[in-house]
Structures are given as structure tokens and as C-alpha cells.
Amino acid sequence: LSLCFPQKLWKMLESGKFQSIWWSEGGKCVAINKDLFEMEVLGKEGQQVFHTQKIKSFMRQLNAYGFTKMQRDSQRSASLPEFLAEEAAASAHSQILYYYNPSFNREHPCLLETCKRR
């Protein structure tokens, strides 16, 4: 049984196995450390979760499922540990990308089934 893109993304976020991608904004946004994600997930040594080695292809999938890229300024985490983790990751000279989809919320897993391809 193969999972659709949003289900794979959800499973990845919940697994805790990846340092390059995490829930942000209290579970309302997905934060991606672009450089680390390319190595950890998309690279040849990566886990090949999304069957692509290109970050642009992954971002196209996000867009196709209704995710919108958020500006960093508007995405400051409310919780101190989360904020510090994001700042530490950003200071490692990596680009942090934030994506939001109203149907992709950690607190409301039932919304996941409404996250459809456009």
C-alpha cells in the first residue's frame, strides 16, 4: 500500500527520524532545513521517501497539494525550545523553508484526508 504525498510527509514528520524537517508554529507549519533535507532525504544516501533527488521537485509536490511558502519573519515559533531549535538550524548557514496548508495540522490529523492534489 503506497501512501500519497501528504501522508508520506505526515509520517516523516511524526517519525522523529529526520533532523532536516519538523513541525513549526505549534504543528501548523512544516519547517525544512533545505541543505540538510537534500542530503538526508533526497541525496543518494538519503531514504528516498519521495522518489526524487531534486528539492525543486519536492517543492512542486508541496505546491501541488496546496502548501504555500511562508516568509521567515512571520514564522517565529511561540515556544522557546522550538524557536531556539529553528535559530540554531538557521545559524548553521542553512536555509529554512516554511510551508503552510490549512489541511495539514498536527493537532487535527483528520484534516489530512482533505489535503488533495490540485
Side-chain angles (χ1 to χ4, degrees), residues 19-85:
Q19 295 181 356
S20 60
I21 186 167
W22 62 94
W23 289 106
S24 180
E25 287 298 296
K28 293 185 177 120
C29 290
V30 176
I32 303 166
N33 178 320
K34 184 180 172 229
D35 297 336
L36 186 57
F37 188 81
E38 286 181 290
M39 289 187 311
E40 183 180 52
V41 179
L42 303 177
K44 289 187 174 155
E45 277 87 60
Q47 306 225 3
Q48 290 298 305
V49 177
F50 298 104
H51 306 294
T52 184
Q53 292 183 341
K54 294 183 169 68
I55 190 76
K56 288 198 183 279
S57 296
F58 175 76
M59 293 186 325
R60 270 196 297 277
Q61 282 279 65
L62 286 168
N63 292 327
Y65 279 93
F67 285 82
T68 54
K69 189 174 179 182
M70 308 296 289
Q71 295 304 315
R72 176 148 178 80
D73 295 339
S74 64
Q75 293 303 309
R76 294 289 185 195
S77 292
S79 75
L80 183 59
E82 204 173 314
F83 175 79
L84 292 173

